[in-house]
Amino acid sequence: MGRRHVVVGGGVAGVTCAEELGRMSKDDEVFLVSSDALLKKSKVVQVISENVEEVDVELECGESAFSDLRNVKSIHGMVSGVDVERKVLTLASGASMPYDTLCICTGASPKRVLDSDLVTVLRDTDSIASMNEQLQHCTSLMVVGNGGIALDIIAAIRGIETYWIVRHEQIGDAFFDGEVGAFLLEELQYLRNSSTRADERPSSRKDGTYLKVGAGSSAGPKWTEDILTNLPQANEAKRLHIETNCEILELSRRMGDDKIKVALSNGKEYSVDMVVSAIGVDPAPAVAWVPPSVHRSPHDGGILVDTSMKTSVPDVYAAGDACTLIDDSKTPWFQMRLWSQARSMGLRAAHCMLGVEDQMASDLPFEMFVHVTRFLGKRVIFLGCYNGQKLEHDDGADDSIRLYSRVAGTHPDRNFVRVVIQDGRVRGAICIGETGLEETLENLILDGIDVSAFGADILDPDVGIDDVFD
């Protein structure tokens, strides 16, 4: 008789974990409990290099999601509690599920501006259909947020007067600093109105400058395609208003009035048909049923796990957005609540639950941060400490960090590369568009090769930094 593994959560981490458990342990029973009848399955659509993959996510009915794995069963239901001493999971229906190992992959809950019912929350594919329906009759829209989802919404919507509320200095601050944000703003302006063209002259910045350290939050692939489905077509883009360095103070709607009145912290007021919130997630509500013996992060409420995805309770694991990984390493890896990391964590959790982590080498994704997504139709690859994350903790890091950038090509094929160098070694990079440098930069980060000799010419196409490996 095999063991009994229970995974809670139908997102990328949970489905990946359950699939891997079923694939590697044919004699074991695997149960996936999901509150949603549709499960999110990830697949690799392109292998870019040894560690860099572009991943897509598809929705699939729970009844057919594991049709090729007879030992995996999907259960549609809500979890109400767990007895970690007796190793029994309880469902809202009253059913009990004993387990040998448990993995909590319940994801995170989207944050809502001012916690107001007047706001449409947009975080994942579950809310796309509702937004599409509302957009059919919408003439004015306000988008709140500064991550990848907000950026894709702004790029996709043309025939609606749009207001973008950003609490930072520049767009894309959840992922980028000002320089990268400025590049994307030029691309956004080009996409929204082809008559408004950005500077198309190839350029190369060689004046190494100091780096502004930033943080990030979750984003996912292929949002724009879904948002554009059945969207009213427009020959001309309506005006885009961008309000930076401000937040929403108040939302109201008068009885009999369809418009939502919005008061901003900069003193401006607008009336719009729809307010969309894309301001990130909170892992705490999704794991409210987990007992206190399973320790939480005091910073974000996520379930604390080590690099084996183990919690503070034996045989209880967690992965994906629901967890907060304890990371005190010096590697160029850090946690962001992204679908790519959810997939890696789900695989890692499955291998550790089965005790095969060493032979599967599933800790490799934790050696370097890697994320591949698409913004404004361009493939974007993040490598290592791409925005200086973690580097500020090293002695003398502020004085030793330099960055060099290159913009090349013309619309619509412009590309952008930026490298972060500390003490002569590449510690991170961003590649936007088709640059052809992803694998070289990946190897430079992992191998720690001294590139001091290249200086400011490291991104000069005539230099050829891949020659360093010859």
Side-chain angles (χ1 to χ4, degrees):
M1 184 68 178
R3 304 175 74 205
R4 185 183 178 100
H5 310 285
V6 176
V7 181
V8 181
V12 172
V15 174
T16 301
C17 181
E19 280 186 316
E20 190 72 354
L21 287 168
R23 185 182 68 83
M24 297 199 64
S25 56
K26 299 295 185 181
D27 295 330
D28 292 357
E29 290 183 295
V30 181
F31 294 89
L32 176 74
V33 182
S34 173
S35 60
D36 198 327
L38 294 176
L39 307 181
K40 295 182 176 69
K41 298 190 71 173
S42 62
K43 66 175 183 179
V44 176
V45 295
Q46 183 179 3
V47 177
I48 300 169
S49 66
E50 183 177 357
N51 297 293
V52 182
E53 301 173 334
E54 185 169 6
V55 177
D56 193 11
V57 178
E58 297 178 344
L59 293 178
E60 190 166 337
C61 179
E63 296 177 356
S64 60
F66 306 109
S67 57
D68 58 335
L69 295 169
R70 295 184 178 181
N71 59 334
V72 181
K73 182 179 180 181
S74 175
I75 298 175
H76 183 203
M78 296 282 293
V79 175
S80 59
V82 59
D83 187 330
V84 294
E85 298 294 333
R86 296 174 51 237
K87 291 189 175 182
V88 175
L89 191 75
T90 304
L91 304 185
S93 64
S96 297
M97 297 185 65
Y99 65 84
D100 291 302
T101 63
L102 170 68
C103 190
I104 302 169
C105 306
T106 47
S109 300
K111 297 177 181 178
R112 185 188 297 268
V113 175
L114 298 183
D115 199 26
S116 171
D117 292 336
L118 296 175
V119 174
T120 298
V121 175
L122 185 62
R123 173 61 192 174
D124 55 26
T125 49
D126 298 335
S127 54
I128 293 292
S130 175
M131 179 178 177
N132 273 334
E133 183 177 349
Q134 295 180 69
L135 286 175
Q136 302 303 312
H137 310 288
C138 182
T139 61
S140 56
L141 169 72
M142 180 170 287
V143 178
V144 186
N146 204 11
I149 297 174
L151 191 61
D152 278 344
I153 296 171
I154 296 296
I157 295 175
R158 291 173 54 86
I160 300 173
E161 192 91 357
T162 305
Y163 302 85
W164 189 3
I165 310 305
V166 176
R167 67 183 179 91
H168 305 99
E169 185 74 28
Q170 72 281 328
I171 69 168
D173 192 86
F175 277 95
F176 310 113
D177 66 0
E179 182 191 24
V180 187
F183 173 81
L184 289 175
L185 182 58
E186 291 177 353
E187 296 301 303
L188 175 61
Q189 291 169 338
Y190 172 79
L191 286 176
R192 286 183 60 85
N193 189 347
S194 58
S195 64
T196 305
R197 300 180 66 86
D199 184 1
E200 297 181 358
R201 293 174 300 172
S203 63
S204 178
R205 199 187 81 185
K206 295 185 177 181
D207 54 324
T209 56
Y210 297 120
L211 178 66
K212 174 187 175 183
V213 175
S217 59
S218 173
K222 293 190 69 175
W223 294 95
T224 309
E225 291 182 18
D226 291 328
I227 294 172
L228 283 173
T229 302
N230 299 322
L231 198 64
Q233 297 299 307
N235 294 325
E236 295 184 2
K238 298 290 185 178
R239 185 178 175 187
L240 171 63
H241 313 258
I242 303 178
E243 299 285 355
T244 59
N245 291 317
C246 69
E247 298 178 277
I248 292 180
L249 292 182
E250 185 179 358
L251 293 163
S252 61
R253 174 186 279 162
R254 293 180 180 178
M255 185 176 298
D257 189 356
D258 292 334
K259 295 288 187 179
I260 302 172
K261 186 176 181 180
V262 184
L264 302 180
S265 58
N266 61 6
K268 296 184 181 180
E269 294 185 355
Y270 293 104
S271 291
V272 296
D273 294 320
M274 185 178 179
V275 178
V276 175
S277 176
I279 58 174
V281 296
D282 180 3
V287 292
W289 52 270
V290 178
S293 56
V294 180
H295 296 166
R296 312 280 192 86
S297 166
H299 303 294
D300 59 22
I303 296 174
L304 287 173
V305 296
D306 60 17
T307 54
S308 295
M309 314 316 296
K310 295 179 180 178
T311 71
S312 55
V313 174
D315 297 320
V316 177
Y317 298 75
D321 287 1
C323 77
T324 300
L325 193 142
I326 304 170
D327 176 33
D328 55 2
S329 70
K330 295 295 184 182
T331 62
W333 184 93
F334 50 92
Q335 184 178 6
M336 294 176 70
R337 288 182 162 87
L338 303 167
W339 285 1
S340 55
Q341 286 194 346
R343 181 175 180 271
S344 298
M345 288 181 172
L347 287 171
R348 176 68 171 170
H351 296 159
C352 293
M353 292 166 75
L354 297 173
V356 297
E357 61 269 28
D358 290 339
Q359 52 264 49
M360 296 305 298
S362 54
D363 60 336
L364 289 179
F366 299 96
E367 291 186 1
M368 180 179 70
F369 177 87
V370 175
H371 181 58
V372 181
T373 188
R374 289 186 179 269
F375 291 146
L376 308 180
K378 294 183 181 292
R379 187 173 68 190
V380 181
I381 299 177
F382 303 93
L383 299 172
C385 306
Y386 71 89
N387 211 22
Q389 299 91 335
K390 298 178 75 171
L391 301 187
E392 76 275 17
H393 299 300
D394 296 342
D395 292 337
D398 289 343
D399 295 329
S400 62
I401 301 175
R402 311 289 284 184
L403 62 93
Y404 301 100
S405 305
R406 185 189 78 195
V407 178
T410 59
H411 287 301
D413 300 318
R414 290 207 314 166
N415 65 73
F416 176 95
V417 186
R418 205 266 297 284
V419 295
V420 180
I421 297 177
Q422 181 184 36
D423 297 328
R425 289 165 172 78
V426 179
R427 299 298 302 274
I430 299 175
C431 298
I432 303 177
E434 301 301 321
T435 68
L437 291 174
E438 300 87 2
E439 187 170 7
T440 298
L441 293 172
E442 170 196 356
N443 291 329
L444 287 174
I445 294 170
L446 290 174
D447 295 345
I449 296 174
D450 193 332
V451 295
S452 301
F454 291 96
D457 294 321
I458 187 169
L459 293 179
D460 189 327
D462 296 327
V463 171
I465 59 173
D466 53 346
D467 293 341
V468 74
F469 298 105
D470 294 342

